[in-house]
Amino acid sequence: MSEILVLVEHVDGEVKKVTLELLTLARSLGSPAAVWAGPGITADAKARLAEYGADKIYVAGSGDVVDHVVAPKAELLAQLVADKSPAAVLVAATAEGKEVAGRLAVKTDSGVITDAVGLREGFVADQSIFGGGVNVQSRVRRGTPIVAVRPNSTAPEAAAGAGAEEEVTVSLSDGARAARIVERVKQEKGARPELTEAAIVVSGGRGVGSAENFAIIEALADSLGGAVGASRAATDAQWYPHQFQVGQTGKTVSPQLYIAAGISGAIQHRAGMQTAKNIVAINKDPEAPIFELADYGVVGDLNQVVPQLTEEINKRK
Ligand code: FAD
């Protein structure tokens, strides 16, 4: 079976959920080979990769690979593409993953598909394009297909792979060493799931009215075990930190449930959330464009609706 390379996303030695999703996708199309960049792979991480189908685990354990922003990861993958002739390369459609994918495409003279939300036989991808306005089926016709898949597009399913480890030494170009990461500042993770990986996201917009009032959005998210997001109007007003912005110039999320409270539904916001499986909108304006997109809509004042909803959910726990 032909090998499909999956670039592993990991933090503090822990494999991120999106990688398990990519392995699950790869398993349905060939033999998954996980590619771990950087030092610090643990026995637990290896076991997890194998548990979700990795037949091979390529480990490029040099610190250089992670100390120099994204270019080394693209060079590592390009080297593996040349050496192993994989059928395809899958990366997560995160900001970093997409940059790696673009650079890898140039290096290997291959086609690249970003923001895939599904992948089928023949590497035909369901792709969300034009800021999420249109869904198309795309296929790479040149080189090795490189596909950046959105987190939460596939449910991860365990299916044991052989997990055979192979060390990889990558010789980085001077260009790849041109920019170096000088400091990493740990974000307070808190109890909430990471925004792009969360199965449930509750976002607040200008309608929330103030930074203090975001407490009701957080309370609803916590009652559901979800993450908190915000529209750009809310992050620009500094009511909520910018790293939680959802949309064209923020994060792209694709959760099972997205609740938009006090958000009008501008195209730039939709671009980051419209592939959510179920969308609930809470807005006092019945004409708000978000209702065109919503599976369920509540016309009302979020200051009343959101706390009532939270209370009801907490009661049923
Ligand atoms: P508004 O459009 O002002 O909507 C507020 C909504 O809240 C209204 O529908 C109103 O009826 C409702 N409301 C008010 N009070 C209440 C209440 N008490 N109860 C219930 N409902 C209430 N935006 C993003 O979100 N993400 C992006 O990444 C992004 N990128 C952009 C990039 C570019 C290049 C540009 C030009 C714009 C971008 N924007 C982005 C901005 C975008 O165009 C909108 O301005 C923004 O999404 C609006 O945010 P909002 O819906 O919170 O505010």
Side-chain angles (χ1 to χ4, degrees), residues 196-273:
T196 56
E197 298 214 323
I200 298 175
V201 175
V202 182
S203 285
R206 203 194 305 272
V208 175
S210 67
E212 295 69 41
N213 211 27
F214 253 84
I216 63 171
I217 303 296
E218 290 184 331
L220 177 56
D222 291 343
S223 73
L224 293 162
V228 175
S231 73
R232 180 155 157 187
T235 58
D236 277 356
Q238 299 189 357
W239 296 345
Y240 219 67
H242 178 75
Q243 72 257 32
F244 297 101
Q245 183 182 313
V246 172
Q248 188 182 317
T249 42
K251 302 258 168 75
T252 301
V253 299
S254 212
Q256 294 297 322
L257 173 63
Y258 186 87
I259 302 180
I263 292 176
S264 62
I267 181 76
Q268 296 89 352
H269 187 80
R270 290 174 179 218
M273 47 63 76

Side-chain angles (χ1 to χ4, degrees), residues 40-65:
I41 186 163
T42 60
D44 276 358
K46 285 181 216 166
R48 198 135 175 86
L49 294 171
E51 185 190 344
Y52 281 84
D55 287 325
K56 258 290 176 45
I57 305 172
Y58 294 115
V59 180
S62 157
D64 267 4
V65 183

Side-chain angles (χ1 to χ4, degrees), residues 90-200:
L90 307 188
V91 300
T94 54
E96 181 178 293
K98 286 198 260 189
E99 193 175 337
V100 170
R103 285 170 182 263
L104 178 63
V106 173
K107 284 182 192 307
T108 58
D109 194 20
S110 299
V112 60
I113 294 171
T114 57
D115 292 313
V117 290
L119 194 59
R120 285 173 269 128
E121 221 178 298
F123 299 104
V124 176
D126 299 310
Q127 189 190 14
S128 174
I129 62 163
F130 295 143
V134 179
N135 284 330
V136 292
Q137 270 98 56
S138 312
R139 187 164 61 86
V140 165
R141 298 177 58 187
R142 185 187 178 111
T144 306
I146 299 161
V147 187
V149 184
R150 280 193 181 170
N152 286 320
S153 305
T154 311
E157 273 172 35
E165 191 178 334
E166 185 177 321
E167 265 191 46
V168 181
T169 310
V170 57
S171 44
L172 298 180
S173 68
D174 287 345
R177 294 172 199 270
R180 195 164 71 83
I181 296 167
V182 290
E183 192 187 3
R184 284 189 166 84
V185 181
K186 209 167 174 183
Q187 253 176 34
E188 272 316 311
K189 200 174 162 197
R192 296 192 191 104
E194 209 275 314
L195 180 56
T196 56
E197 298 214 323
I200 298 175

